[in-house]
Amino acid sequence: MNKNGIIKWAARILILLAAAACLTLGFMNHGFQDVKNKAIRICYECIGIG
């Protein structure tokens, strides 16, 4: 593998680790509940219940 290929793999692994860290922090801060609540409100507004 050449130097350019190694840099690409290292960048991919770094992005993957950063994404996993962001998901973990969001889960620990209960961010999924905010997203779920907003999605429910938007759906209720679309069908005219809320």
Side-chain angles (χ1 to χ4, degrees):
M1 192 179 282
N2 60 11
K3 185 178 178 181
N4 198 17
I6 293 172
I7 292 173
K8 285 182 183 179
W9 276 104
R12 288 176 183 165
I13 290 172
L14 183 64
I15 291 170
L16 179 66
L17 290 175
C22 288
L23 285 171
T24 302
L25 289 172
F27 185 75
M28 291 172 58
N29 290 329
H30 302 285
F32 61 93
Q33 290 176 345
D34 295 332
V35 173
K36 183 188 76 165
N37 290 337
K38 288 177 185 177
I40 289 172
R41 267 188 253 122
I42 289 171
C43 286
Y44 283 164
E45 289 175 4
C46 287
I47 60 174
I49 293 176

